[in-house]
Amino acid sequence: MSKSSPLFLLSLCLPLLALLPSVRVYLEVNMLRHMLVVMPLLVFAGFLFAYGVPRKVRRALRPWNKFGVPGLLLASGLIATWMIPFALDRAIENPQVDAAKTFSLFLAGIALALSLSLAPLVTQLFFIWNWVAMAVFTGVLYQSLPQRLCSAYLLDDQGRTGLGLVVFAAAIGCTWCASAWTRHHKVVATSTGG
Amino acid sequence: MRAAVATLAVSLAIVFSLGWASNGFTALTSQKARQLAVATEPRDVPDVELVMANGERRMLHEILSGRRGSTVVGFFYAGCQTICLTLANDFTQLQGSLTDRSDDLEVNLLSISFAPETDSPTVLQAYAKRMAAQVGIWDIAVIRHTKDLPDLYRSFGLRVIGDGKGGYVHNSAFHILSPEGKLVGIVDLARPQAALKLATSAAML
């Protein structure tokens, strides 16, 4: 993908759009939309953006990102940060914190895209499995806790988000399995000369 | 080598970011963070005008300073069918323990409604009767001016949101106030005895 491609520009528009005051309120009005639509889209936008990063820059970053481990660590740490209710509450209350959230999730997406291709399957499995397990656990917790975790959101919204989180995590897990399967078969095919 | 440096730098950044998000690894929710903050540094609460169940108008600080000990404050609205029932239940229990006590350390109870549009003194009086609240031990009041609400919410860390059915959903807790009008502690709902203990020790200071 070249730098001027529409997808590249679109990926930049998304985080900027998410920061407009009125759009922000709309996007964060309920927990499900905030956590399962807006946040994944921001990561996804960063992911798309990474494809527009010039090959030169990618090559220069490679020695710093051996097996993609530092990048995957960064992505998982940033994503985990915004899954903490206290952080989410502050992002809703304070536009500056929200800007930090938007930027860091976008950055997580870039790091993810630049690192997944460098990481061996075992490394990928480690990070993906960790995230999926955490998200499923969090999702079940959201559904079963009698009290609200985010003071900005309602309890039934929290329950729905919990269910959504479990489904979303399962989908991510399955997607990764499918991609790992194809990648493994490609590797086997090339190594056997077929 | 460069990868090791990058991993180290990223790890530090993650520790920083998770530490920020969890109030220095001490709290996952804003409610908990607020409790910790108030416990280490009591904060002033605004002196708002209240209407008591008997229709009398009084200032919050005047009520607090007129009492011997500390005051346990809970926020509610009379039409609430959820969290306020728990709060009312706990307050009834507290009132029971307070009337039984032989020591003269005084702890008082004050329920404040944040819904002046619906909770008139008549409504409050009916509520007080339903809860068997005894004037002088457990007072019931409503905020007089809606314009005072944002300031009040901010200082007590309250969150009140419409539930889409004409009611409200809100967080609730026991707020321990000193006679000087300072918020000295916040205790989770359903732990009335812990609230009483904290209020008693605050009264001894």
Side-chain angles (χ1 to χ4, degrees), chain A residues 45-113:
Chain A
F47 203 91
L48 285 183
F49 181 87
Y51 285 95
V53 171
R55 203 163 279 167
K56 243 192 190 158
V57 179
R58 279 169 168 261
R59 208 173 300 137
L61 279 174
R62 255 182 110 134
W64 295 92
N65 197 12
K66 207 169 186 182
F67 300 124
V69 169
L72 287 172
L73 197 62
L74 181 69
S76 60
L78 291 176
I79 292 169
T81 297
W82 298 108
M83 286 178 75
I84 296 176
F86 185 37
L88 209 59
D89 264 340
R90 279 184 286 174
I92 300 159
E93 273 167 29
N94 183 336
Q96 280 157 346
V97 176
D98 209 34
K101 181 202 78 185
T102 306
F103 172 75
S104 61
L105 288 175
F106 189 73
L107 183 68
I110 300 176
L112 205 59

Side-chain angles (χ1 to χ4, degrees), chain A residues 93-172:
Chain A
E93 273 167 29
N94 183 336
Q96 280 157 346
V97 176
D98 209 34
K101 181 202 78 185
T102 306
F103 172 75
S104 61
L105 288 175
F106 189 73
L107 183 68
I110 300 176
L112 205 59
L114 292 181
S115 310
L116 272 179
S117 51
L118 301 177
L121 282 180
V122 183
T123 313
Q124 289 186 18
L125 178 69
F126 175 78
F127 282 99
I128 296 282
W129 166 251
N130 256 329
W131 186 81
V132 169
M134 180 188 71
V136 168
F137 180 74
T138 313
V140 172
L141 208 65
Y142 278 12
Q143 291 174 77
S144 55
L145 280 181
Q147 74 267 44
R148 291 179 309 138
L149 291 166
C150 279
S151 53
Y153 295 124
L154 306 183
L155 192 61
D156 53 348
D157 191 8
Q158 178 173 306
R160 274 196 302 271
T161 309
L163 180 63
L165 204 56
V166 173
V167 173
F168 184 71
I172 293 284

Side-chain angles (χ1 to χ4, degrees), chain A residues 18-30:
Chain A
L19 286 175
L20 289 178
S22 48
V23 179
R24 224 191 113 216
V25 171
Y26 172 78
L27 294 178
E28 294 174 2
V29 73
N30 71 55

